[in-house]
Amino acid sequence: MHSQESRSTSNARRAATAVFTIVANNYLHFARTLLRSVRDAEPGVDCHCVLVDRDPALAAELADEIRFLHLEELGVPGGEAFAFQYPVMELCTAVKPWAIGRLLDLGYERVIYLDPDIFVYRPLDRVHALLEQGANLVLTPHLLAPVSDARKPGELEIRQSGAYNLGFCAFRACAGSRALLVWWQSKLARQCVVDLRNGVFVDQSWMDLVPGLFANVAILRHPGYNVAYWNLAQRPIARNDQGRWTAGGEPLVFFHFSGFDPERPEGFSRHQDRFTLAHLGLAGELVAGYGERLIANGAARYAREPFGYGAFKDGTPVPSSFRRLYRHSERVRESLGADPFARPDALQMPASAFGVQWMYERRERMEYPLLSGFSPVETNAAEEGVWASKRVSVYFCGDACGSVQVRGAYFPQPIEMASGRRDNTLSFWCGPHMFYQHTLIEPGDFEISTALPAGCSLAGEMLRIESSGSFVPSEIGINAHDPRNLAWRVKYLAVGALAVVDCNRSPVLLAADDSAAIRGVNLVAYIKAESGVGEAARCWAKAASAACIPYSLLDVGYQNPNPQRDASVVAAAVGETFDVDLLYVNADQSLATLAYVGRVKPPARITIGFWHWEQPELPLRYMGAFDGLTEVWTPSAFVHDAVARVSPIPVFKVPHAIEFSVSPGSGRAAFGLPADRFLVLVMYDFHSYVQRKNPLAAIEAFARAFPGKSGATLVLKTVNADNYAHDYAMLKTAIDSRFEVVCIDRFLTRQEIFDLENCCDCMLSLHRAEGFGLGLAEMMYLGKPVVATGWSGNMEFMTPMNSFPVEYELKKLAGADGAYEAGQEWAEADIGHAAACLRRLVDDAALVREVGARGAATMRDQFSPLAIGKRYRKRLSHLAWALTDAST
């Protein structure tokens, strides 16, 4: 009888309980996974999901599975105005107390909130019991024991973010809870933000005050509740005799998978550096099982859903910085009215209108700003600008007195992102203050200024700032996946028509207007060589012609052993000699080429080297190659970073221009290729080093993808095999009867190369490094999908949307290989992943068309000769300005 009464009481208790979570559309797979686990563990409770997004269609599809509450049902103050002030994470957090209040209004006696990235394994008995015993609120601490290592997060980071984790909280219906919710709502109405300097971390840090301000707050200290990356070291996961999960020796009730990405499970959580999936022990099984559930519940479908409140109603993105401005300025809120999403023109308002400035975030990858690592010690700041060796927290202030100041504090070297990749851009901190080793660095430690042209006034002018993205510096980053937007790469700053900071010019900061014009360029290159560097130089010439940049030619093809038959850019050259030499040869040929140029013509006033390199750092043995150069140009961020780490001169990045045509009527028969097979092209020059090009991995991937001569033919295009007998023998050994292959080992003209590429269906490259990847770019231009190692210069144009970047592992080169030094990192492509990508292409013709079309659009929109030529012209204009300034 007693047992029946107990079960009856328990069922009644759960029937009066609501468990809910809060998501935008991109987290619906998390919500489904959580709420299914709740229904399994607590079959008597009512489950709800608060949807904070505009589009209800996805939620409507799940109406039979989940009870949804929508943002407009919660009674948050201001409606659209409330949603406008926060990005997605902050907004989903800010509505929490209103959602709890709404569920209490619906008659529930107990309301339990769980973050969507939680999974429940057992009934929440301790929570129910504490509420039954009179607790108005139940909280769980982040930590139940001291942290005993130096990893992140440590106790300092936990203290900054709050003593209690608000991924869970439970409220009882009573007057005390209502009073607490009113107080909490007053804080989150404007201050649900990440502002660690002022002790605020969204809704969470406010809860530190609650046990002192309000009565009947219960702190649940059971180690099985709210296990997560921050306390897992003190609560090891195991299984009991019945095979059920335990944490710290107690039953595991719920695990909080904060920061977990099912598409990148190996990091476990992007918010920490203590664990990886491979080092979790039994907890790894727990995490893997959770990832499988997320995938089964639609991770691929929902994860990339756009945030409905992320843009103005015309589709213009709302910058996070503008949301901050909106929160902080009553004048801005009044100006934008009741529906701020209807006012994209607000981004064009004069900076002086509000007395503050903001950053307009633009993420245009093809305009990525790149500078060299100049030391600022001997630099005249007013003349030379802000170099990349200073990380600057910048204040922009203009006046009508003839000057603009850029003031702030710099961050010491080394300049690295939390991902480990060095950053050589002009980088500004988002916030007004920053810390280094927990010491506040106040603005004002660094200052540059520039005079305005005569008669120029800033009164009423618009301040325009363009950013190419955000990142986390390694000095304060948690790990490589740290998601916070702490610093911006700024590429352009202007007041009115005056460009104060422009990362596409050198110097960065200009005091004169940009009216100088470049007369032309002397292109010193392997003009006719049928090689990658020769073709890259011809790409430059085509971009120069498209942008109306005159060029003369000085052929140094005697240095290149390949045939010299391509005269496609000769006719457009002029016979004049200009003030700028562009040496389109790599670092190893730079000094010899410079000496030759000095013998055949007078020296130029500006000499530029255009270099490729295929390791993360240019070897110090090439330091002499900088002698005689004004600056170095590179085709990709990868090469830029390699050169800029050691460069004593500015380094500028601009990609190759891609445009060509195929011969009318050209077809497979001309190359001896089968007409009815899916053709996978692997192409390289033996002079480019077999170790780097890694054709054996490509052959193995093809063999795995198409066993038994099924589905496809491998087209293996090589040159210069006769000079590398051992390497060629290894290649021939790898080609066996497992698959069908056509070998072409001879020189083709560039036009024949274009025609061959057009005959094939896709390109495969499992290279260990590329400076740019011209062949891959050409295939994408033709609308052909490419499968290639997702690392190095080809990532200048490849993305998961327009191609198939292959997963890889970075490994150190054990021994020197020709020009390449031992000890530097190269990529080892995942052969199995590459094979799976190839198989998908053969099995899905629609996918081939879709990805190919996206790749073609990328190349034709962003890498056209006109688009690239304009960038060359702009850079050359600034160099012309420098010449003019020097002459006066």
Side-chain angles (χ1 to χ4, degrees):
M1 183 67 180
H2 176 75
S3 173
Q4 289 179 339
E5 290 177 358
S6 175
R7 284 196 299 270
S8 177
T9 301
S10 175
N11 291 337
R13 178 176 67 189
R14 284 165 170 75
T17 300
V19 175
F20 81 102
T21 193
I22 306 172
V23 297
N25 279 329
N26 69 320
Y27 254 50
L28 280 170
H29 52 299
F30 283 97
R32 297 180 72 188
T33 304
L34 164 68
L35 296 179
R36 286 179 178 180
S37 76
V38 173
R39 286 193 293 269
D40 289 342
E42 296 265 15
V45 304
D46 285 349
C47 294
H48 298 265
C49 180
V50 174
L51 184 68
V52 182
D53 220 323
R54 287 195 186 277
D55 186 0
L58 293 174
E61 294 176 7
L62 301 173
D64 293 338
E65 178 183 340
I66 298 174
R67 302 180 190 181
F68 282 96
L69 286 171
H70 296 272
L71 181 59
E72 56 269 22
E73 299 178 65
L74 304 185
V76 294
E80 293 282 278
F82 186 92
F84 187 82
Q85 65 186 340
Y86 291 127
V88 58
M89 188 273 282
E90 287 89 339
L91 181 58
C92 287
T93 306
V95 303
K96 194 182 298 178
W98 282 277
I100 294 168
R102 173 60 177 161
L103 290 167
L104 292 175
D105 290 342
L106 291 176
Y108 290 104
E109 297 177 9
R110 287 164 293 277
V111 175
I112 300 172
Y113 171 78
L114 295 171
D115 266 357
D117 47 11
I118 282 174
F119 194 88
V120 178
Y121 295 89
R122 284 184 174 87
L124 307 173
D125 289 338
R126 296 285 182 107
V127 178
H128 294 299
L130 288 169
L131 295 173
E132 287 280 327
Q133 293 163 13
N136 295 346
L137 168 65
V138 181
L139 298 172
T140 52
H142 276 106
L143 298 174
L144 297 175
V147 174
S148 57
D149 60 30
R151 296 288 186 174
K152 292 182 180 180
E155 291 168 355
L156 175 62
E157 288 79 20
I158 295 297
R159 186 184 66 79
Q160 290 174 328
S161 60
Y164 309 103
N165 179 257
L166 264 292
F168 158 82
C169 59
F171 281 78
R172 179 173 65 91
C174 63
S177 294
R178 292 287 190 172
L180 194 162
L181 288 173
V182 170
W183 172 84
W184 200 15
Q185 290 168 353
S186 73
K187 303 305 176 186
L188 304 193
R190 291 272 181 265
Q191 300 179 75
C192 187
V193 296
V194 178
D195 184 4
L196 297 182
R197 178 177 178 269
N198 290 310
V200 179
F201 185 76
V202 287
D203 67 333
Q204 195 163 268
S205 50
W206 295 109
M207 278 292 158
D208 286 2
L209 299 174
V210 167
L213 294 177
F214 297 92
N216 301 325
V217 177
I219 309 301
L220 176 54
R221 296 179 53 82
H222 188 286
Y225 284 76
N226 217 351
V227 184
Y229 68 80
W230 54 80
N231 56 35
L232 185 58
Q234 292 80 43
R235 308 184 196 181
I237 298 297
R239 280 197 176 98
N240 61 19
D241 294 341
Q242 291 77 43
R244 302 198 66 184
W245 294 110
T246 64
E250 296 288 340
L252 173 62
V253 179
F254 66 84
F255 197 104
H256 194 162
F257 294 90
S258 176
F260 177 74
D261 182 350
E263 294 184 355
R264 303 179 66 179
E266 62 279 356
F268 174 46
S269 170
R270 64 180 179 272
H271 303 314
Q272 54 86 46
D273 65 0
R274 185 170 282 112
F275 300 103
T276 64
L277 187 61
H279 296 90
L280 282 177
L282 273 179
E285 295 182 27
L286 197 78
V287 176
Y290 179 68
E292 291 171 1
R293 289 183 173 96
L294 290 176
I295 292 170
N297 284 324
R301 179 181 186 191
Y302 300 121
R304 292 173 178 80
E305 281 295 316
F307 181 46
Y309 295 105
F312 291 95
K313 290 183 177 177
D314 73 340
T316 303
V318 181
S320 295
S321 47
F322 195 77
R323 295 184 194 270
R324 288 196 295 273
L325 174 66
Y326 182 83
R327 283 197 309 273
H328 290 220
S329 173
E330 185 175 353
R331 293 179 62 192
V332 174
R333 293 195 294 273
E334 290 176 354
S335 175
L336 296 185
D339 186 4
F341 287 102
R343 291 289 309 279
D345 60 305
L347 293 175
Q348 305 301 319
M349 291 181 178
S352 57
F354 308 129
V356 293
Q357 293 82 36
W358 61 91
M359 284 191 173
Y360 177 19
E361 297 175 81
R362 290 184 60 187
R363 302 179 184 275
E364 297 179 6
R365 189 170 185 268
M366 303 321 301
E367 296 185 13
Y368 192 75
L370 296 159
L371 300 174
S372 69
F374 262 55
S375 168
V377 176
E378 300 297 329
T379 299
N380 180 337
E383 180 178 339
E384 296 294 337
V386 186
W387 298 106
S389 53
K390 289 204 170 189
R391 192 168 309 285
V392 187
S393 177
V394 179
Y395 287 72
F396 308 104
C397 58
D399 54 38
C401 302
S403 68
V404 175
Q405 289 102 30
V406 182
R407 304 196 336 252
Y410 71 89
F411 209 77
Q413 293 185 3
I415 300 166
E416 290 187 354
M417 290 182 274
S419 64
R421 179 178 176 275
R422 283 182 177 267
D423 174 64
N424 292 298
T425 67
L426 184 63
S427 300
F428 301 116
W429 283 76
C430 302
H433 301 281
M434 68 179 181
F435 293 82
Y436 178 57
Q437 294 179 345
H438 314 306
T439 301
L440 177 65
I441 302 177
E442 292 288 355
D445 293 349
F446 180 79
E447 180 173 325
I448 57 176
S449 62
T450 181
L452 296 178
C456 179
S457 171
L458 298 182
E461 293 285 4
M462 182 184 75
L463 177 68
R464 179 185 174 199
I465 306 170
E466 296 181 10
S467 169
S468 62
S470 59
F471 65 98
V472 178
S474 63
E475 292 87 350
I476 62 171
I478 294 173
N479 61 20
H481 308 300
D482 194 332
R484 297 171 293 168
N485 296 327
L486 297 184
W488 266 317
R489 298 183 188 88
V490 174
K491 62 184 175 185
Y492 186 78
L493 181 150
V495 181
L498 178 68
V500 181
V501 174
D502 186 346
C503 289
N504 282 326
R505 70 186 180 201
S506 176
V508 177
L509 190 72
L510 246 67
D513 82 335
D514 179 23
S515 59
I518 197 76
R519 290 180 56 247
V521 172
N522 309 311
L523 177 59
V524 183
Y526 312 142
I527 303 299
K528 301 178 182 179
E530 293 172 8
S531 67
V533 178
E535 180 60 23
R538 291 188 289 273
C539 289
W540 185 93
K542 293 172 185 175
S545 294
C548 301
I549 302 170
Y551 64 87
S552 66
L553 294 176
L554 180 54
D555 196 341
V556 291
Y558 66 89
Q559 299 176 125
N560 189 293
N562 285 12
Q564 312 280 322
R565 301 177 297 189
D566 193 325
S568 57
V569 300
V570 173
V574 299
E576 191 176 352
T577 300
F578 302 106
D579 286 330
V580 178
D581 281 348
L582 176 61
L583 274 57
Y584 216 111
V585 298
N586 288 328
D588 59 343
Q589 292 294 322
S590 183
L591 286 177
T593 303
L594 198 61
Y596 174 79
V597 172
R599 292 194 297 269
V600 300
K601 75 174 194 64
R605 299 179 65 186
I606 289 176
T607 302
I608 302 165
F610 204 122
W611 292 356
H612 300 73
W613 184 245
E614 293 86 16
Q615 284 186 307
E617 184 169 315
L618 188 74
L620 293 179
R621 67 176 180 272
Y622 293 129
M623 286 300 294
F626 293 103
D627 293 347
L629 300 182
T630 308
E631 64 183 37
V632 173
W633 292 1
T634 69
S636 66
F638 178 79
V639 183
H640 170 275
D641 291 353
V643 175
R645 284 191 177 96
V646 299
S647 176
I649 59 177
V651 183
F652 171 70
K653 183 216 77 172
V654 68
H656 297 314
I658 307 297
E659 186 177 79
F660 57 90
S661 59
V662 297
S663 302
S666 64
R668 294 183 172 189
F671 301 100
L673 301 176
D676 57 350
R677 304 277 289 179
F678 187 92
L679 302 185
V680 178
L681 177 62
V682 173
M683 182 168 63
Y684 70 99
D685 184 340
F686 276 86
H687 282 329
S688 296
Y689 297 96
V690 169
Q691 279 289 94
R692 180 172 71 81
K693 290 295 188 177
N694 201 14
L696 299 184
I699 291 170
E700 178 61 26
F702 183 89
R704 291 190 195 180
F706 310 111
K709 297 186 177 182
S710 62
T713 295
L714 176 65
V715 180
L716 187 58
K717 169 65 182 74
T718 59
V719 293
N720 288 312
D722 52 338
N723 297 320
Y724 297 85
H726 176 71
D727 291 336
Y728 189 50
M730 292 178 58
L731 186 70
K732 297 296 285 186
T733 300
I735 301 171
D736 56 31
S737 59
R738 290 179 297 169
F739 51 85
E740 183 174 307
V741 59
V742 176
C743 294
I744 305 173
D745 181 48
R746 67 178 188 273
F747 282 101
L748 302 178
T749 66
R750 283 305 302 177
Q751 187 58 55
E752 287 173 326
I753 289 292
F754 298 149
D755 294 344
L756 174 63
E757 289 171 339
N758 192 54
C759 288
C760 296
D761 295 292
C762 81
M763 177 174 276
L764 172 63
S765 174
L766 298 189
H767 57 264
R768 292 185 169 97
E770 284 284 7
F772 183 74
L774 203 56
L776 293 166
E778 290 166 355
M779 286 292 282
M780 288 175 61
Y781 177 83
L782 291 168
K784 312 285 186 174
V786 299
V787 178
T789 310
W791 186 73
S792 65
N794 52 300
M795 297 311 292
E796 198 68 36
F797 49 86
M798 284 179 60
T799 74
M801 298 299 293
N802 67 16
S803 57
F804 292 87
V806 175
E807 297 171 359
Y808 63 90
E809 180 181 355
L810 291 179
K811 293 185 178 180
K812 292 187 182 299
L813 188 60
D817 183 30
Y820 303 110
E821 289 187 336
Q824 292 207 47
E825 288 185 323
W826 269 358
E828 286 293 340
D830 185 329
I831 294 174
H833 182 224
C837 293
L838 292 174
R839 191 72 251 175
R840 287 182 64 196
L841 288 172
V842 169
D843 292 342
D844 192 342
L847 182 65
V848 172
R849 292 190 296 272
E850 180 182 348
V851 175
R854 289 176 185 162
T858 296
M859 304 314 299
R860 293 168 189 266
D861 293 346
Q862 301 177 31
F863 293 81
S864 70
L866 181 59
I868 299 301
K870 285 180 177 179
R871 297 178 64 184
Y872 282 132
R873 185 170 190 82
K874 188 172 184 180
R875 184 67 168 185
L876 291 167
S877 294
H878 295 314
L879 290 172
W881 171 84
L883 282 176
T884 303
D885 183 67
S887 66
T888 58

